[in-house]
Amino acid sequence: MALGQLCTVVVPESTPEFMKDKIRTAGGKVMTHGASWKEADDHIKELIMADPTGVYCHPFDHPDIWDGHSTMIDEILQDLGSKPDAIITAVGGGGLFIGLMVGLERYGFMDVPVIAVETQGAHSLNESLKHNELTTLPAITSIATSLGARTVAMKAFELGLRPNVTAQIVSDRQAASACCELFEDERVAVEAACGAATAIVYSGFLPKLLPDLKPQSKVVLIVCGGKQ
């Protein structure tokens, strides 16, 4: 849209109207299709096949997306003055997670522990790692619908196998509770997708997952956005 081109965005039925309005305000055409992102994505691919001038833009499985997210590592290093002792991030389709890993690799920091968090019911990365192959969930049943990719990017699965990555599942209740606690502490309102990562801190997972951390350790929690 910023390039002066027409844009159609296909979103799942779980997308709230106010987010659709934001897309329309930016100049995009909105179509609603399917219960989850997977069905919406399949539909837009069908539309692209019928449009010889159409260009498909993936929301998370593309190197340009990863490179953009990777710049967060630049900002983290600038703010901290040194490499972090750990990073916690939520995982949906895997674009954010991949980008963070790409950024760490660019600096040679592949020893930095990364905790990749999903909610139960949107745990496609965990399911893939469990079966040691890219696996598609039958449905998204979590309230964290912004994490609702039934299949993660292949690159996310490959990076999830690395020794510095720990994949963790939290419950919807833990994610929702973490949202409330973050708001009480920081006056920052986030949705359940971000609550998934935040729950690693508020629900006591962190010292169990990374027992070597010290009080002075620098742990970076990615407070991400979403569509809720």
Side-chain angles (χ1 to χ4, degrees), residues 39-54:
E39 288 80 13
D41 187 56
D42 288 343
H43 185 62
I44 192 64
K45 288 177 179 176
E46 292 175 0
L47 296 178
I48 288 292
M49 290 178 63
D51 183 356
T53 64

Side-chain angles (χ1 to χ4, degrees), residues 134-151:
L134 197 63
T135 303
T136 299
L137 296 176
I140 299 298
T141 58
S142 170
I143 63 171
T145 55
S146 290
L147 302 182
R150 289 169 50 203
T151 310

Side-chain angles (χ1 to χ4, degrees), residues 96-173:
L96 173 60
F97 165 61
I98 296 169
L100 292 168
M101 295 291 285
V102 168
L104 288 172
E105 188 168 24
R106 188 168 64 244
Y107 284 95
F109 292 161
M110 293 312 295
D111 58 331
V112 173
V114 176
I115 303 177
V117 194
E118 301 169 293
T119 49
Q120 183 69 41
H123 57 290
S124 49
L125 175 61
N126 271 269
E127 195 71 5
S128 297
L129 295 175
K130 175 182 175 182
H131 294 285
N132 199 32
E133 63 179 359
L134 197 63
T135 303
T136 299
L137 296 176
I140 299 298
T141 58
S142 170
I143 63 171
T145 55
S146 290
L147 302 182
R150 289 169 50 203
T151 310
V152 295
M154 174 60 79
K155 183 72 170 180
F157 166 63
E158 294 170 351
L159 292 173
L161 295 170
R162 291 192 175 181
N164 67 314
V165 175
T166 300
Q168 179 65 44
I169 298 175
V170 301
S171 68
D172 279 348
R173 181 183 293 273

Side-chain angles (χ1 to χ4, degrees), residues 86-90 182 194 196-202 219-224:
I87 296 176
I88 306 168
T89 183
L182 182 65
C194 180
T198 312
I200 295 299
V201 175
Y202 285 115
V219 178
V220 176
L221 170 64
I222 305 297
V223 179
C224 57

